[in-house]
Amino acid sequence: MEEEEEEEVMFVTLHDGRRLAYREQGVTANDRIVQKSLLVLHGTPSSRLAGMPGVSEDLLKEMGVRLVSIDRPGYGRSDKNQSQTFESFATEIAEIADLLALGEKFWLLAYSGGGSYCWAAIRYIPHRIAGVAMWAPYGNYWWKDIPRPERKICLKALNRNSARLFPIARYMPRSVVYFFTRHFFPKPTGVNKFVETLSSFLSPPDVHCLTPEFSLGLIRDVIESTKQENHGVAQDAVLDTAADWGFELPDIQKAYKGPLHIWNGDEDQLVPLHLQECIQKQLPDLVHLHPVAGEGHFSAFCYNDKIQRETLTTLFEDSGVAPAEEVSLDDEQKNSET
């Protein structure tokens, strides 16, 4: 099974020689369908295998979506980048889009820990982004425009494991890197134990979401994410908890004017809805917030056809994109002549 999966891994090679792994779903680059190229930024820990967890191929093809999921540096099969910053990865997103012919403009979908890199892309490569959807995205709790009392409410809403990570990662980053690269899921059995204990710090909707099908997919995804000795997880922990991301909320407002939609369960204990509410208060003309009542971090989005369809429909309609349609031979001929 492992050997078969290895043969299916696809890579792009960046200008500095590093390779990043990716996966495609839905409409392919060769299909004669007007495409909507959607690049997915996975959570933490996660990998390209997650994509839109449980999404139907029929839904993607119905909407003409070419969905590309990548392993961020240090995750899965992607090479590490020891000097990675939010800005450097944002420029790599643009490079990946060019290498995979995603178009001059493409859409972004970020889930959970992928949110920090999506915010960076909005800030640093806004000219390449047609629209953004984010599911329970991570944000900077220390952005200067988030008032201190609101920040405290957000941090208090986190589960105990996440709350403990902040002071350690901020003030002892080397210890965090050591822990994740030496002791975090050193063997597949560790991943199984992790999934088994998830219920101890998840909200009831998420616990209910831990079906055998979902748990199996989660275990496979997390095991895949550890292939680079958890370097990606360690790097994310240090970058995400830093007070200075290199940009503030007003910088995002000035840079980007396109569609930006955020969905977040109101019972999410991993990324609290209140964080998104704080961000929306500062960016009221930019952020469209969609609270998902009675749902958590996983239950709102994983194997949830309703939310997945709503996300794609809202994202593309707000971008003014027509429904998918077949490209005629006459159209192809006209394009080749111009």
Side-chain angles (χ1 to χ4, degrees):
M1 180 68 178
E2 185 69 25
E3 293 180 357
E4 180 181 352
E5 183 179 329
E6 183 74 37
E7 294 175 358
E8 296 175 353
V9 178
M10 297 180 289
F11 296 90
V12 291
T13 303
L14 302 179
H15 71 280
D16 61 1
R18 286 183 297 112
R19 299 199 309 166
L20 297 185
Y22 72 97
R23 178 189 184 211
E24 292 204 35
Q25 294 174 270
V27 177
T28 70
N30 296 323
D31 286 342
R32 292 170 56 250
I33 296 289
V34 176
Q35 297 173 16
K36 307 175 188 72
S37 297
L38 180 63
L39 184 64
V40 179
L41 304 178
H42 63 73
T44 307
S46 186
S47 74
R48 72 191 183 284
L49 300 183
M52 295 178 70
V55 70
S56 163
E57 282 286 327
D58 291 339
L59 173 60
L60 294 176
K61 292 179 179 178
E62 171 192 333
M63 303 194 73
V65 178
R66 179 189 176 195
L67 190 148
V68 177
S69 309
I70 60 174
D71 284 341
R72 293 199 302 275
Y75 283 93
R77 311 304 171 98
S78 290
D79 294 335
K80 307 170 187 176
N81 179 5
Q82 301 285 1
S83 58
Q84 178 172 289
T85 64
F86 287 125
E87 183 175 5
S88 71
F89 186 68
T91 61
E92 286 180 8
I93 289 176
E95 185 177 359
I96 293 165
D98 291 337
L99 291 170
L100 295 180
L102 300 185
E104 184 61 31
K105 287 198 172 189
F106 51 90
W107 287 264
L108 285 176
L109 170 64
Y111 190 3
S112 189
S116 51
Y117 294 96
C118 192
W119 285 118
I122 294 169
R123 166 62 182 89
Y124 294 114
I125 57 165
H127 57 290
R128 300 298 307 272
I129 300 173
V132 175
M134 291 192 271
W135 290 345
Y138 197 86
N140 189 350
Y141 292 86
W142 280 268
W143 270 326
K144 295 176 183 178
D145 286 85
I146 296 180
R148 186 174 181 180
E150 300 296 325
R151 181 182 303 121
K152 285 186 176 181
I153 294 174
C154 292
L155 294 173
K156 191 175 181 179
L158 293 172
N159 71 73
R160 61 183 181 274
N161 290 338
S162 297
R164 289 170 182 167
L165 178 63
F166 276 97
I168 300 174
R170 290 189 68 187
Y171 301 112
M172 295 183 291
R174 290 186 180 181
S175 65
V176 170
V177 172
Y178 179 84
F179 169 76
F180 279 113
T181 56
R182 296 292 186 274
H183 302 289
F184 191 63
F185 307 150
K187 298 178 181 179
T189 53
V191 179
N192 283 276
K193 186 176 181 181
F194 164 72
V195 173
E196 290 174 3
T197 58
L198 269 177
S199 58
S200 65
F201 54 89
L202 291 179
S203 63
D206 281 333
V207 174
H208 183 72
C209 178
L210 294 177
T211 63
E213 179 184 21
F214 175 76
S215 296
L216 184 63
L218 181 62
I219 290 171
R220 179 170 172 259
D221 179 44
V222 175
I223 289 176
E224 182 67 16
S225 77
T226 67
K227 297 293 185 181
Q228 303 294 329
E229 299 180 328
N230 296 301
H231 182 85
V233 179
Q235 194 167 51
D236 279 358
V238 174
L239 289 174
D240 286 344
T241 57
D244 184 6
W245 281 15
F247 59 94
E248 296 288 336
L249 289 173
D251 298 323
I252 294 172
Q253 179 77 68
K254 292 176 184 177
Y256 181 70
K257 307 299 180 184
L260 198 169
H261 294 268
I262 296 176
W263 283 260
N264 212 118
D266 64 359
E267 295 192 34
D268 191 331
Q269 294 181 7
L270 298 179
V271 181
L273 173 61
H274 192 64
L275 173 62
Q276 319 306 345
E277 293 172 338
C278 290
I279 293 172
Q280 187 193 39
K281 285 180 182 178
Q282 302 304 320
L283 305 175
D285 298 328
L286 180 63
V287 173
H288 300 273
L289 183 57
H290 307 263
V292 187
E295 299 291 356
H297 194 72
F298 297 121
S299 65
F301 312 110
C302 301
Y303 297 87
N304 189 331
D305 182 76
K306 179 177 180 293
I307 292 295
Q308 292 174 348
R309 179 178 290 275
E310 177 184 321
T311 298
L312 296 176
T313 301
T314 302
L315 180 61
F316 298 134
E317 285 184 352
D318 200 12
S319 304
V321 177
E325 56 186 44
E326 187 170 332
V327 179
S328 69
L329 292 176
D330 290 340
D331 290 337
E332 288 183 345
Q333 186 175 4
K334 290 177 184 177
N335 292 334
S336 65
E337 291 174 353
T338 57

